[in-house]
Amino acid sequence: MFKVEKVNMSYGDLQVLWDVSFHVNEGEIVVLVGANGAGKSSVLKTISGLQQVSSGLIEYNGEDITKTDPAQIIKKGIVHVPEARRLFNEMTVEENLIMGSLHGEAKIKRKETMEKCYDLFPRLLERRKQAAGTLSGGEQQMVAVARGIMSLPKLLMLDEPSLGLAPVLVQDIFDIIKGIRKQGITVLLVEQNVQTTLRFCDRAYVLENGKITLDGTGKELLNNEHVREAYLGI
């Protein structure tokens, strides 16, 4: 469904991605794991067109989208839910969801998709008229993910969805991601919560200093000596 081949990317003179290559099959949950500053968010920004590659190829369903602008990326079905939620805090929950459905088919199917979001996130139905900035951290994360779903993604990219959440809410977020996959949406996930993520994903890639250093199934990487020492403290 999706592949990245030998992508290099820089912020000015500072190169942050080095020959990054990976692929995502339709229907998978694939995870990029690594320490803070490893380049995980930069990979997602590059895919979504927010940063231009220096060299390399990004391909989606056989089409080269390396230099495609962000608006067209969304229309093709690739949706990026950024780190730190980035909500419109003074808008209501429902208004935030509407902001995720401003283009073509997503606009036409807005009512239907919103009902699906409320089925997936019952708490948001209760809070739909409440200002997003007044919600708890977990509820705000639900709004961010639901807003992404409102864009009708085929590939949903989630950047650190568990960041800053209480431990009791982290499992809720991962359960929600499983529910998203059941709706036929492929998921590319960036996470620092290595142990929990590797337990439920299909495959994972380890990103270190802007380079892919390991890949395998979640179970394989959980049992990898380097991963256990570097990320699990074992």
Side-chain angles (χ1 to χ4, degrees), residues 171-231:
Q171 189 57 54
D172 290 344
I173 288 296
F174 286 115
D175 288 342
I176 287 166
I177 294 170
K178 291 178 185 177
I180 291 170
R181 194 251 291 271
K182 289 179 180 178
Q183 294 186 359
I185 300 171
T186 303
V187 177
L188 175 59
L189 175 64
V190 157
E191 264 293 341
Q192 289 187 58
N193 193 327
V194 175
Q195 187 164 25
T196 302
T197 307
L198 292 181
R199 289 189 185 281
F200 92 106
C201 71
D202 295 302
R203 293 184 302 107
Y205 295 85
V206 177
L207 192 67
E208 297 177 319
N209 299 317
K211 301 177 182 179
I212 299 290
T213 57
L214 289 168
D215 68 272
T217 66
K219 184 176 180 180
E220 287 170 345
L221 292 185
L222 273 173
N223 292 322
N224 180 275
E225 184 176 348
H226 174 69
V227 172
R228 290 166 68 84
E229 290 180 357
Y231 301 104

Side-chain angles (χ1 to χ4, degrees), residues 3 17 20 22 50 55 58 62 66 71 106 110 113 117 122 125 128 132 150 165 170 205 208 214 228 233:
K3 67 178 179 179
L17 299 180
V20 170
F22 65 91
L50 297 174
S55 62
I58 302 173
T66 310
R110 177 181 293 161
T113 310
C117 286
L125 179 60
R128 66 187 185 280
M150 290 294 295
L165 298 185
V170 171
Y205 295 85
E208 297 177 319
L214 289 168
R228 290 166 68 84

Side-chain angles (χ1 to χ4, degrees), residues 1-3 23-27 59-62 77 154-155 186:
M1 180 184 189
F2 179 82
K3 67 178 179 179
H23 72 277
V24 181
N25 298 315
E26 187 171 0
E59 192 174 275
Y60 177 63
N61 287 330
K154 297 180 178 68
L155 174 65
T186 303

Side-chain angles (χ1 to χ4, degrees), residues 9-12 17 41-54 58 66 68 70:
M9 191 274 280
S10 301
Y11 294 112
L17 299 180
S41 295
S42 295
V43 171
L44 298 194
K45 289 176 182 178
T46 302
I47 293 168
S48 59
L50 297 174
Q51 295 291 334
Q52 292 297 308
V53 305
S54 306
I58 302 173
T66 310
T68 305

